[in-house]
Amino acid sequence: VRPVGGRTHHLAPSRGYLSPTDRPDAMLGATLTVSALLAFAPPAHRVATRVATPRAATRAATAVRAPPAVHTPNFLDADSARRVAAAAGTPCFVYDAKTLAAQARTALAFPNAYGLTVRFAMKACPNRAVLQLFGSMGLQIDASSVHEVRRAMLAGLPASAISISSQELPSEAEIAEVVGLGVSVNACSLAQLERFGRACTGGKVGLRINPGVGSGGTGKTNVGGPSSSFGIWHELLPQAQALLQQYRLTCERVHTHIGSGSDPAVWQSVADLTLGLAAQLPDVRTVNLGGGFKVGRMEDEPSTNMATVGEPVKAAFEAFAAKHGRELKLEIEPGTFLVANAGALLARVQDEMSTGEGGHDFLKLDAGMTELLRPSLYGARHPIATLPALPEAAPGPVRSFIVSGHCCESGDLLTCAPGEAETLEPRPMLAPKLGDFVVIDGSGAYCSGMSAKNYNSFPECPEVLLDAAGVPHVVRAKQTLEQMLANEAGLPDGFSV
């Protein structure tokens, strides 16, 4: 193991993965009826060498195992990949409308006792067409900044369908503006609550509470418990109540969210804790339990069953009503659940290299952390498959590769070990030729909207939506160099140093 740039890189043993099951029948039979959507018609000093367990030893260690199965793309095949590439080029994000609609219907069926509002956590995938699709199905919006509020409204979502819970609440003037339009605000700290009170004395507000526990797919996606700055700490509820009284505010909602990828058992226990908080706030009529439903991108990762999670929560709401005489409405805020496996990053193999018998075989793509940052940031894994670019091409043999991105950055790695951003994990796939397609599934959530955009001056890539018939529609064009530079200014005349 050789330290690289002050870091140590390790090799995870080669793993085989089962092919995913076919999409549910409900998904295959879904129909998209949103007509509006169809109108959118390296320098040496940065290069790092990773040295790890020799390939021969890895082969010997896996020789007794069954041949690894390769991943089959969730909704793209060679023909549809060629159509998408012809429409938008590569790299590009591809969203499948049938899968989006199926996931939305599942969320809307979440068990509830006295009414349900499903808010799409738009930070997961803020594309206008996706917002419009979900809006047409009755979903509302969870915004994480005033910028997302305005973006949703520009997409045609009514202000009354938008709720904001933000780490950075806007100025008092902006608070008054959005509240005047009908946007709901959840105060996420005592300071935010006081700022809201000054801006909207006598108004209605929600409180986001940190219930004291958290859960997440990684520590970086855990937004509850004593190590998280998200929400008013539950022990500070008396101070929050004092501010409500001082500014004559009505607390109509209690909101909690403990993290993305949270464990269902923890999610259910937090529901009980949240109802306990609602019992101390007599004006509360809505309880928002956030999102964080597990979504398995890889075949060995579990997914949350919404009915399994929801039934005990429904029972808890009924018990609360029997005890306190209040029938509380439920809100949930799924993001990853709705879009993760409805999206894929379509790229091409632009180079292949080997570091010899003691090293690795690498595929270099025309995409990377400029599009997909999750592996570098979280050590997140995504299923990866290759598809032939030419119709007459025969599939190659199964081989294991390290897949890397196009950035001049040693951390631009797309095949890392679980939770270990700096550990290489060879993946089995059909050996491609230069120019062949690579499909990176599970890329619908926290990818396009959360990337190292414009690093190495790579342009923001396009986004494509497949309609119910599989026809690709470009819903975000590729960024031009002129657009990238539009806000820059050169040195003024006469500038000196």
Side-chain angles (χ1 to χ4, degrees):
V1 182
R2 177 180 301 171
V4 180
R7 299 174 293 184
T8 302
H9 294 254
H10 309 276
L11 175 69
S14 178
R15 293 175 171 86
Y17 300 102
L18 297 176
S19 298
T21 57
D22 292 336
R23 290 174 288 161
D25 291 342
M27 182 189 307
L28 293 173
T31 302
L32 178 65
T33 59
V34 191
S35 58
L37 295 182
L38 303 184
F40 288 100
H45 70 284
R46 300 303 303 275
V47 177
T49 303
R50 299 172 174 88
V51 178
T53 304
R55 183 182 3 226
T58 300
R59 286 173 178 160
T62 59
V64 297
R65 300 174 60 185
V70 299
H71 172 67
T72 300
N74 291 344
F75 55 85
L76 287 172
D77 57 21
D79 289 339
S80 59
R82 293 181 196 115
R83 290 195 296 270
V84 169
T90 63
C92 71
F93 286 98
V94 189
Y95 308 115
D96 182 53
K98 290 192 293 188
T99 310
L100 292 170
Q103 292 299 99
R105 284 193 292 272
T106 299
L108 289 166
F110 192 88
N112 65 92
Y114 308 111
L116 172 71
T117 296
V118 178
R119 296 188 182 276
F120 172 48
M122 65 175 286
K123 60 183 178 289
C125 185
N127 182 278
R128 178 185 299 186
V130 174
L131 299 180
Q132 291 175 334
L133 189 156
F134 285 148
S136 74
M137 297 186 67
L139 274 66
Q140 299 190 24
I141 295 296
D142 161 46
S144 295
S145 72
V146 71
H147 308 290
E148 286 192 343
V149 168
R150 292 177 175 139
R151 187 170 184 172
M153 292 175 66
L154 287 172
L157 279 296
S160 59
I162 302 170
S163 173
I164 177 173
S165 305
S166 179
Q167 284 288 82
E168 180 186 345
L169 201 63
S171 67
E172 291 179 26
E174 289 175 309
I175 293 172
E177 176 190 356
V178 298
V179 170
L181 293 171
V183 174
S184 300
V185 175
N186 294 318
C188 300
S189 70
L190 294 177
Q192 285 192 13
L193 181 57
E194 185 159 21
R195 192 183 313 165
F196 181 93
R198 291 195 298 265
C200 302
T201 301
K204 296 180 179 180
V205 69
L207 295 183
R208 176 168 178 171
I209 306 292
N210 182 334
V213 296
S215 178
T218 75
K220 295 180 180 179
T221 58
N222 184 331
V223 292
S227 298
S228 170
S229 67
F230 291 80
I232 299 169
W233 184 244
H234 64 101
E235 294 175 334
L236 299 179
L237 185 58
Q239 288 93 318
Q241 290 171 311
L243 288 171
L244 292 172
Q245 183 176 7
Q246 178 182 346
Y247 292 102
R248 305 191 308 279
L249 299 174
T250 299
C251 178
E252 59 181 1
R253 293 177 309 282
V254 172
H255 178 291
T256 58
H257 176 56
I258 60 173
S260 179
S262 57
D263 183 85
V266 176
W267 201 89
Q268 292 174 19
S269 68
V270 170
D272 293 331
L273 291 173
T274 307
L275 289 171
L277 294 167
Q280 302 175 60
L281 296 162
D283 295 321
V284 165
R285 293 296 180 268
T286 300
V287 167
N288 187 316
L289 296 179
F293 305 101
K294 276 184 180 292
V295 171
R297 291 175 170 88
M298 302 293 293
E299 287 76 12
D300 59 350
E301 296 174 346
S303 293
T304 298
N305 183 303
M306 298 286 267
T308 300
V309 170
E311 285 299 337
V313 173
K314 176 185 176 183
F317 273 60
E318 291 169 339
F320 181 94
K323 181 177 181 180
H324 298 282
R326 275 187 282 161
E327 296 183 350
L328 300 179
K329 185 177 179 180
L330 171 65
E331 291 187 353
I332 58 173
E333 295 175 345
T336 297
F337 178 85
L338 292 171
V339 295
N341 288 331
L345 177 63
L346 181 65
R348 288 185 190 265
V349 178
Q350 54 93 5
D351 203 354
E352 179 181 349
M353 62 165 292
S354 172
T355 51
E357 185 64 22
H360 312 290
D361 292 332
F362 290 86
L363 296 179
K364 295 183 180 182
L365 308 187
D366 61 356
M369 62 195 301
T370 44
E371 290 73 35
L372 187 60
L373 189 59
R374 296 182 73 253
S376 300
L377 186 62
Y378 301 142
R381 295 184 300 160
H382 287 255
I384 299 177
T386 59
L387 295 172
L390 299 177
E392 65 275 11
V398 175
R399 290 173 52 193
S400 289
F401 294 94
I402 302 295
V403 181
S404 62
H406 57 181
C407 291
C408 188
E409 178 68 42
S410 63
D412 192 4
L413 175 69
L414 297 172
T415 50
C416 60
E420 300 178 30
E422 299 180 12
T423 300
L424 309 184
E425 181 185 66
R427 294 280 190 85
M429 60 193 73
L430 299 177
K433 298 179 176 62
L434 295 187
D436 277 351
F437 297 117
V438 174
V439 177
I440 306 174
D441 273 324
S443 299
Y446 300 98
C447 293
S448 175
M450 188 186 75
S451 65
K453 174 183 169 183
N454 293 157
Y455 185 49
N456 290 169
S457 294
F458 284 110
E460 185 178 45
C461 79
E463 292 176 291
V464 170
L465 179 67
L466 300 180
D467 66 22
V471 177
H473 303 268
V474 177
V475 293
R476 184 180 73 187
K478 180 179 178 180
Q479 185 184 40
T480 65
L481 180 62
E482 291 72 22
Q483 290 170 332
M484 192 188 308
L485 302 178
N487 293 326
E488 291 189 8
L491 287 175
D493 294 339
F495 183 89
S496 62
V497 294

